[in-house]
Amino acid sequence: PICRVTEKGFLEVHHKRPISTYDEEHEIPQSELVALCSNCHSMVHRRKEAMDVDELKSIVQNKRNN
């Protein structure tokens, strides 16, 4: 996959639920993971509490439409 923002083919895995919130080590379900380009992954972590990936998608789509 290629990121539509940066047009690069490099992806990072984002955990929807922060790893620090787990009490013990366990297997993380694939449904809790999202593949993001490095730029988008940085953007979701710019806030003290990580931005929801759907919120970032909305921001990117709004910028494209304007």
Side-chain angles (χ1 to χ4, degrees):
I2 295 177
C3 173
R4 289 185 259 167
V5 175
T6 63
E7 298 183 3
K8 304 288 182 194
F10 182 78
L11 297 176
E12 298 179 357
V13 175
H14 172 69
H15 296 83
K16 293 179 183 179
R17 178 179 171 188
I19 296 172
S20 62
T21 64
Y22 293 107
D23 293 332
E24 57 188 50
E25 189 173 316
H26 74 284
E27 188 172 322
I28 298 173
Q30 189 173 0
S31 62
E32 291 185 25
L33 305 174
V34 179
L36 298 173
C37 75
S38 183
N39 184 57
C40 289
H41 195 207
S42 294
M43 291 300 294
V44 296
H45 285 286
R46 285 191 69 173
R47 299 178 180 168
K48 186 173 183 175
E49 187 174 318
M51 179 188 309
D52 183 77
V53 174
D54 289 330
E55 183 181 354
L56 178 63
K57 284 181 187 178
S58 178
I59 291 169
V60 170
Q61 288 173 349
N62 286 337
K63 292 220 181 253
R64 280 197 189 131
N65 293 334
N66 292 328

